[in-house]
Amino acid sequence: MSKADHMLSILWLLRSGRKITARQLADELEVHIRTVYRCIDSLCASGVPIVADAGPGGGYRILGRFAESPLMFDSEEQKALVHASIFAREAGYPFGEALIRAVDKLKLYTNEEQLEQIERHGRGVSVIHPPVDELEQSFLQTLELASAEGRSLEMEYRGGKDEAAVYRGFDPYGIVHWKGSWYTVGYCRLRQRIRSFRVDRIKRLERSEERFERPAHFSAKGFLLGNLLPESLEDASLLTVRIQGAERALNELQRHWLFGHTLVQRNEKEAVFRMESASLLTYVPYYLLPYGKALTIMEPDVLIKRMAEVSQTMAEHYQQMQMRSAEVKEG
């Protein structure tokens, strides 16, 4: 038997709840007592709460509720873990190698039928996601570790392509995966306020000697989403957007994060949103444009006017392309 098999066997024996000496374990497994000691040390190093009671009536035992915890997963739990690992790895999860090792351990203690089922379910799930390079994964690991330890970082960050990188102290409160990108949220010591940063725009990260305490009940996810959405749908500065169309088109529109979070009323043929006026003049028209005649904007007039302007600009752009193409062919 391998060392892993010996460790698992010892764990099963200790789960009985009674104290067992090293000699009794060695006799039960038909191994040398030194093998038992090595396996016990490895189990303790892996986090199993094994206690050694010395003296008459002593022996090894497991502390607390661990003895009652299941050591194996059923088929549904195995499938869920494999699928979750696929999603995490494809999303650029920073500890992907450890995740692979964990799934490999899961497969190690399965029979041929169970292993075939795990592999079959693993082939049935895929995720399309932009690749995350090694540097970004390294930054994510540093940020997650610093967040857990309360360790401040020195960060060099470039906000945009044409902006110069800025050096700042940063207290990372957490990392968030949103819409295909990783973000970190925390206290920026340069601006002296909580901010969010895209991890793929970080140029350098270094651990510092400074420490920090994360605010109680702080949610990095809530902060990031709160910065992207209006604080209240009852805000007087928001405009009502009324859109009619086929149910399928409205359903697709509602899946977009902005429309989904600003929806206030919906039926089969119409959806009503409360949205910031600035967004209606910038990116909202470009998101609505691909729907063409499948959607009809009933209000506000400012969005209808902006849609007409954007459509005309796009039409002129492609007309110029068509004319240039014709000139090239004639020449």
Side-chain angles (χ1 to χ4, degrees):
M1 296 175 64
S2 67
K3 181 181 178 181
D5 292 326
H6 288 144
M7 291 169 60
L8 187 61
S9 298
I10 290 173
L11 202 50
W12 276 112
L13 291 170
L14 293 178
R15 276 167 49 84
S16 65
R18 62 188 177 91
K19 294 179 182 178
I20 307 177
T21 66
R23 173 53 59 190
Q24 289 172 329
L25 289 169
D27 293 342
E28 181 72 25
L29 300 178
E30 299 181 352
V31 298
H32 198 282
I33 194 169
R34 287 198 296 267
T35 300
V36 172
Y37 291 142
R38 287 194 295 267
C39 289
I40 293 290
D41 289 341
S42 297
L43 287 168
C44 291
S46 66
V48 179
I50 298 177
V51 177
D53 296 323
Y60 292 109
R61 60 186 175 88
I62 295 180
L63 272 180
R65 297 176 57 189
F66 190 91
E68 302 171 2
S69 302
L71 289 177
M72 297 298 179
F73 301 103
D74 61 33
S75 61
E76 288 297 306
E77 291 168 339
Q78 291 174 347
K79 177 179 68 175
L81 289 171
V82 171
H83 286 173
S85 72
I86 293 171
F87 271 94
R89 292 199 310 270
E90 294 299 324
Y93 178 65
F95 301 96
E97 291 184 3
L99 194 58
I100 292 173
R101 294 198 305 270
V103 173
D104 286 342
K105 288 181 180 179
L106 174 67
K107 296 177 180 179
L108 184 63
Y109 296 105
T110 56
N111 56 41
E112 291 184 5
E113 181 181 352
Q114 292 171 329
L115 180 59
E116 196 280 330
Q117 182 178 3
I118 289 175
E119 297 289 354
R120 186 170 62 250
H121 283 296
R123 293 191 295 267
V125 173
S126 300
V127 178
I128 298 176
H129 187 277
V132 176
D133 60 34
E134 292 184 4
L135 181 61
E136 185 176 348
Q137 284 205 339
S138 174
F139 288 160
L140 286 168
Q141 292 176 4
T142 300
L143 289 162
E144 191 280 331
L145 184 60
S147 174
E149 295 179 346
R151 174 78 65 179
S152 298
L153 300 172
E154 299 293 338
M155 179 172 70
E156 186 178 359
Y157 183 81
R158 177 173 294 162
K161 293 182 179 179
D162 299 327
E163 297 182 22
V166 178
Y167 197 71
R168 72 192 74 215
F170 181 61
D171 300 341
Y173 294 162
I175 56 176
V176 183
H177 183 265
W178 183 75
K179 286 183 67 64
S181 298
W182 283 95
Y183 294 78
T184 180
V185 176
Y187 183 77
C188 173
R189 298 197 174 198
L190 176 65
R191 306 301 182 193
Q192 297 187 352
R193 59 188 174 91
I194 298 176
R195 296 185 62 191
S196 62
F197 300 92
R198 277 184 52 158
V199 178
D200 61 349
R201 293 179 180 173
I202 296 175
K203 300 305 174 183
R204 187 159 60 91
L205 274 181
E206 292 182 358
R207 291 166 63 88
S208 74
E209 298 302 319
E210 300 288 336
R211 311 286 297 194
F212 70 87
E213 288 288 337
R214 181 188 303 155
H217 310 298
F218 179 82
S219 168
K221 172 184 174 181
F223 177 86
L224 183 65
L225 194 59
N227 276 1
L228 297 168
L229 298 173
E231 294 184 1
S232 171
L233 296 179
E234 302 302 322
D235 192 326
S237 65
L238 302 181
L239 296 178
T240 297
V241 177
R242 189 182 305 274
I243 300 177
Q244 294 182 353
E247 183 177 9
R248 184 174 180 179
L250 292 175
N251 289 342
E252 183 64 30
L253 180 67
Q254 192 176 328
R255 290 192 184 98
H256 186 268
W257 68 271
L258 177 59
F259 290 91
H261 283 85
T262 57
L263 181 71
V264 294
Q265 186 179 339
R266 172 67 199 278
N267 58 43
E268 292 183 1
K269 298 182 179 181
E270 184 177 83
V272 180
F273 310 91
R274 292 282 289 169
M275 307 180 75
E276 292 179 329
S277 58
S279 67
L280 303 184
L281 299 176
T282 52
Y283 50 86
V284 168
Y286 292 96
Y287 186 79
L288 294 175
L289 197 61
Y291 287 90
K293 297 181 180 179
L295 297 177
T296 301
I297 301 170
M298 307 305 295
E299 62 172 308
D301 290 340
V302 63
L303 179 57
I304 297 173
K305 179 181 178 182
R306 182 57 181 157
M307 288 294 295
E309 293 173 349
V310 170
S311 299
Q312 183 176 352
T313 301
M314 293 296 293
E316 292 174 352
H317 172 71
Y318 284 105
Q319 285 172 358
Q320 292 175 1
M321 289 179 59
Q322 186 179 29
M323 291 174 60
R324 286 197 298 269
S325 178
E327 291 173 356
V328 170
K329 291 179 180 178
E330 290 177 0

